[in-house]
Amino acid sequence: MSILVLGTAALDTVKTPSGLRTKMLGGSAVHFAMSSRLFTKVHLVAIVGRDFPPAYIHFLQRRGIILDSLLTGVGRTFHWAGEYQGDMNTAITKKTELGVLSSFSPVITPVQRRIKNVFLANVDPDIQRSLLDCMDDPRLVALDSMNFWIQNKRPSLVRMLKRVTIYVANDQEARSLTGEHNLLKAAQGLLRMGPAMVLIKKGEHGVIFFSKKYIFSLPAFPMQRVIDPTGAGDTFAGGFMGYLARAGRFDHKSIKQALVYGTVVASFNVEGFGLNKTSLLTMKDLGRRLQRYRQIVLF
Amino acid sequence: MSILVLGTAALDTVKTPSGLRTKMLGGSAVHFAMSSRLFTKVHLVAIVGRDFPPAYIHFLQRRGIILDSLLTGVGRTFHWAGEYQGDMNTAITKKTELGVLSSFSPVITPVQRRIKNVFLANVDPDIQRSLLDCMDDPRLVALDSMNFWIQNKRPSLVRMLKRVTIYVANDQEARSLTGEHNLLKAAQGLLRMGPAMVLIKKGEHGVIFFSKKYIFSLPAFPMQRVIDPTGAGDTFAGGFMGYLARAGRFDHKSIKQALVYGTVVASFNVEGFGLNKTSLLTMKDLGRRLQRYRQIVLF
């Protein structure tokens, strides 16, 4: 079963201790799609400007990502510039040029309206709502956001949480939305806000999943060298949703497996700048690393 | 097989968001012993002052901890006062009164010299060395330390690392001893310093274990409420060493199980002040929580 992902397609300028890359292909929807394409058909809903290199379009198409609803607006592509230092856990944003993103109004095809699995990656919650309003009868809707929207569009975000199955957050976002420092209490607070499931990403410390019935906790794949963590969270979500969409069910066993696949695919993301590693990835590579992960975690 | 633990017996004054406790029984060797006694016979090597309450002696004896080498010195018992705030991950030390600890020279009995499993909990590395020099033929020697000794007695500590099987550190200590931020690189650096195995405790983020051949990573047991984390690391080490001593072998399967038991027993420590929870613990309680942990982690 296919997935529809709404989010950003961006040009990313990233500086890390390993080097500087200028205007690479990036964005939340793009990282998500590059990961979930390994599991199922992915339809990307985003906007780019007229400066968006045609080579990037071909690059996405060659990986089988469906671009019927990738709009081109008048203006420049969303450009993010950031830097990672030290523990590489937090990006220092140097520049955010919204460009065409500031007037983004998603449009989808009649076929896409009927897609059952929807991932609302990080964009303005009002844009997330307008996309969800277009969907006929989605079965699994997951939503990601960021601190900027928690602070500036909290009522919109809170309304959206009542309409989604899974809220995907990082630990800071979970804390800031609920005011609870303890992650279990924060997750319980988030579950009370509407979603049936809450998935909290903790970066190098792994991931923890909550529903009313279950808690699952997994460590990250231990990495010796982190080149560029940009997009790791969306890559995780892509593996997680990709697995669930392919499995066609979300019982607790499938969810655990999906968390494992998300963890493993995210470990490739950080090993290269931008999409360098994930765009070359095959299910065989995933399978091999999954075996190593099993040895590291299972007892 | 029994364990000999060298470390501190202390009076702890602890303030956390849950309250204040004054001069509770604590110390690295005491927390370790309270946990490892669930698995095997534990001999405690430490020093207290004349102010040490007899009730605390009886408390330890009633839990089966062997006190033949608990010395009483002239002066006051080691007293630590600290406070935890916010994320409860780091203690703010308010007071450290060494008392009799400043002239501690461990003495053990002929029977204790022949014990095969030794845990050198956090004390001056020169005291750790003098104890190890007394042992006839230890089979498994684990050593814990702290940033104070890394900064102030680095050569002594480095010499000790060549003589131990397992170095137990927290993430900060591993980084500060090697100058490597990445934990995998830090662990490789530590392995080159001598120990066959390195165990890095990450508090609420779990634990990661390294040998030349294996990496194991486990999340912590998710806790909704942390009352007092003092001694959690030593409680972890007690469960870990206790399991290994009882198993009588340290192949990779036993080590994984030992890490799991350490994780589970440490989760009880943080649920109460001082030894409130761990002193009441039974193997049945451990078994029950282990079952829940399996559901949370295994896939």
Side-chain angles (χ1 to χ4, degrees), chain B residues 11-24 79-95 225-231 270 272-274:
Chain B
L11 300 176
D12 281 351
T13 295
V14 176
K15 195 175 164 190
T16 84
S18 304
L20 170 73
R21 294 293 182 280
T22 305
K23 298 202 171 177
M24 293 181 294
H79 177 218
W80 177 80
E83 187 173 346
Y84 298 87
Q85 294 168 341
D87 69 1
M88 309 277 288
N89 276 332
T90 323
I92 304 152
T93 292
K94 298 286 183 185
K95 213 186 271 180
R225 198 165 172 215
V226 175
I227 302 288
D228 171 17
T230 311
V270 306
F273 276 101

Side-chain angles (χ1 to χ4, degrees), chain B residues 169-188:
Chain B
N170 67 33
D171 40 4
Q172 291 174 320
E173 292 156 7
R175 286 173 177 137
S176 120
L177 195 51
T178 58
E180 284 285 358
H181 186 86
N182 180 284
L183 281 187
L184 268 76
K185 285 188 197 163
Q188 284 158 1

Side-chain angles (χ1 to χ4, degrees), chain A residues 181-182 223 256 295 298, chain B residues 87 181-182 223 256 295 298:
Chain A
H181 186 86
N182 180 283
M223 301 302 298
K256 267 191 177 177
Q295 288 162 2
L298 294 184
Chain B
D87 69 1
H181 186 86
N182 180 284
M223 301 303 297
K256 267 193 176 175
Q295 289 161 4
L298 295 184

Side-chain angles (χ1 to χ4, degrees), chain A residues 87 181-182 184-185 188 205 215-219 222-224 256 260 293-299, chain B residues 87 181-182 184-185 188 205 215-219 222-224 256 260 293-299:
Chain A
D87 69 1
H181 186 86
N182 180 283
L184 268 76
K185 285 187 197 166
Q188 284 158 1
H205 299 302
I215 300 180
F216 305 140
S217 183
L218 289 176
M223 301 302 298
Q224 187 159 354
K256 267 191 177 177
V260 170
Y293 186 70
R294 294 176 67 86
Q295 288 162 2
I296 289 168
V297 174
L298 294 184
F299 57 86
Chain B
D87 69 1
H181 186 86
N182 180 284
L184 268 76
K185 285 188 197 163
Q188 284 158 1
H205 299 302
I215 299 182
F216 305 140
S217 183
L218 289 176
M223 301 303 297
Q224 186 161 353
K256 267 193 176 175
V260 170
Y293 185 69
R294 294 177 66 88
Q295 289 161 4
I296 289 167
V297 175
L298 295 184
F299 54 87

